[in-house]
Amino acid sequence: MSTTHRKWTVPSQRTAPAREATAAPAAGKPVPPAPEATHDPGTPRATTLKDLIDAQLHMPFPFRSNPHEAEAAAGVDAWLHRWGLTAEPGVADMIVRTRPAQLASYNSPDVPPDILQIVASQIAYQFVFDDRAEEVGQHGPERLLPMLCESIAILRDGEPPLTPLGAALTDLHRQVQQRCTPAQAARWAWNSREYVHGLLYEAVAQTRSAPLRIGLCTSIRSLTAGVEPFYPLYEAAQPCELPAEEIHHPVMRRLRRLSVDAAVWTADLFSAVKEQRTGGVINLALAYHGAHRCTLPVAVTLAIRHIDRTIREFVELYAATEPELSPAGIGYVDGMIGWIRGCYYWSRSVPRYADTAEAPAW
């Protein structure tokens, strides 16, 4: 693999399609149809919010899944039990409703079983941590400080855990350090600390009485998404380590940002009903709802346009730069694509967002 520095340029406008893996999904897996970008006047109008999203959101990456999903699901259950997390009220039911191993399978179809297991366990951990932070933070951001500071101490300083959540995070950190290079593990820890800080920003935003500006909402959402901590694991899944000039190049940074935003904003479309019911504000669709004082279906439509622009920029930028990437770089970007695709197919089927299929579209 050549590590010669490449002088990448950011194109202003491209039309070529991005590379897409063509491997078939695992046997027995459903293959949801990819939605079209616009509504066909000759077809019936969508009646539910889920139908509206499927009809209007353009998802250029077809469904795929990892053949080791069932083993990962069993591993998640055992891991959560080992660290006492399913003993907490409501956690076991939440895991059933969120299916973390399914999300890991959909967004990581090509990774080996050991990395899939880390991804699935980390997703489950973040679901538990995020729900706990939301529950505690609604009584005041300052109440979050003990759990957030414990996480930072573990990730930054290697301090021993004080709680079951801290013990689970310590174990995740250990697994990442064993599987990744020191540089990859350091990136994992840094990205995970950003996620922890984002939850405090979210708690502060929840105290506001006025709607958040869309830009402020998306800035916080990019942190609370918790997607970028997984990307070093896709580095580790490659047969060769990415060259430093490639992993840190401005184009690669832009691809990471676009992919994280597209992935989490797509999930926001399906979670908007749940978030609106529970008083959440860090959600792209709800940000449009508050900024434009429109109905939720109109806000979802505006959010879809925003997401479509983001995915289009990712596709065009990747198409323009793929010839200059190393094989490891291509595999790494495929991991980003996995999150864009995986969040869509997981969100439209997961029980946690089932209300979307019942909410009216107009």
Side-chain angles (χ1 to χ4, degrees):
M1 178 185 68
S2 171
T3 58
T4 303
H5 179 68
R6 299 174 175 89
K7 296 182 179 179
W8 292 355
T9 57
V10 179
S12 59
Q13 185 175 15
R14 302 287 182 184
T15 57
R19 171 184 181 273
E20 173 56 30
T22 57
K29 285 289 182 182
V31 184
E36 296 298 327
T38 57
H39 176 72
D40 182 352
T43 61
R45 182 178 291 271
T47 58
T48 71
L49 202 56
K50 180 176 180 291
D51 293 336
L52 176 68
I53 298 167
D54 283 345
Q56 294 194 10
L57 179 68
H58 178 61
M59 180 53 58
F61 309 118
F63 173 82
R64 296 186 62 207
S65 63
N66 194 297
H68 302 286
E69 179 183 326
E71 300 96 301
V76 165
D77 290 342
W79 186 80
L80 290 171
H81 178 75
R82 177 185 177 187
W83 298 109
L85 298 186
T86 43
E88 299 290 333
V91 169
D93 179 65
M94 182 272 289
I95 293 298
V96 170
R97 292 178 58 79
T98 56
R99 301 175 181 172
Q102 183 185 79
L103 177 55
S105 170
Y106 289 6
N107 62 37
S108 309
D110 297 315
V111 303
D114 62 336
I115 289 185
L116 179 68
Q117 191 63 69
I118 297 174
V119 171
S121 297
Q122 186 173 341
I123 289 172
Y125 165 81
Q126 288 185 190
F127 282 157
V128 176
F129 194 85
D130 192 86
D131 279 7
R132 180 77 58 78
E134 182 177 349
E135 178 185 349
V136 173
Q138 68 183 351
H139 301 294
E142 71 282 356
R143 294 175 179 260
L144 277 177
L145 294 179
M147 65 181 291
L148 301 187
C149 287
E150 179 190 25
S151 295
I152 297 300
I154 291 168
L155 293 167
R156 186 188 61 199
D157 303 321
E159 293 290 327
L162 304 173
T163 66
L165 269 174
L169 177 60
T170 299
D171 187 63
L172 275 177
H173 197 189
R174 176 191 61 79
Q175 293 182 53
V176 170
Q177 289 173 316
Q178 288 181 345
R179 186 58 175 83
C180 297
T181 67
Q184 292 163 358
R187 283 190 281 276
W188 181 91
W190 171 266
N191 293 335
S192 296
R193 294 200 298 270
E194 281 208 319
Y195 160 70
V196 171
H197 290 138
L199 294 176
L200 182 59
Y201 303 155
E202 180 178 36
V204 171
Q206 290 285 155
T207 65
R208 289 171 51 97
S209 57
L212 285 178
R213 291 184 291 106
I214 292 174
L216 185 58
C217 176
T218 56
S219 179
I220 296 173
R221 192 68 178 108
S222 71
L223 296 173
T224 63
V227 171
E228 203 159 356
F230 294 90
Y231 286 2
L233 293 170
Y234 301 124
E235 293 181 58
Q238 305 312 311
C240 301
E241 192 168 0
L242 273 72
E245 67 269 18
E246 193 167 66
I247 194 70
H248 296 298
H249 195 281
V251 173
M252 192 67 87
R253 290 203 300 268
R254 181 60 180 165
L255 288 170
R256 282 195 292 268
R257 180 78 279 117
L258 292 168
S259 62
V260 168
D261 288 342
V264 72
W265 292 341
T266 298
D268 280 356
L269 300 175
F270 291 91
S271 69
V273 175
K274 168 187 170 294
E275 292 295 326
Q276 186 180 50
R277 185 179 66 249
T278 58
V281 298
I282 305 303
N283 176 289
L284 181 65
L286 295 185
Y288 274 102
H289 176 66
H292 295 274
R293 301 186 182 277
C294 55
T295 65
L296 186 57
V298 171
V300 165
T301 299
L302 293 172
I304 288 172
R305 294 174 186 169
H306 194 144
I307 296 166
D308 279 343
R309 291 192 298 270
T310 302
I311 294 177
R312 188 181 310 117
E313 182 182 347
F314 178 92
V315 168
E316 293 171 352
L317 183 56
Y318 184 29
T321 57
E322 183 194 5
E324 304 174 56
L325 293 174
S326 68
I330 290 173
Y332 177 60
V333 178
D334 280 347
M336 302 181 198
I337 290 173
W339 272 91
I340 299 173
R341 166 181 50 219
C343 279
Y344 169 71
Y345 289 110
W346 171 81
S347 296
R348 69 192 299 270
S349 61
V350 73
R352 187 177 177 93
Y353 303 150
D355 290 349
T356 309
E358 300 174 2
W362 307 103

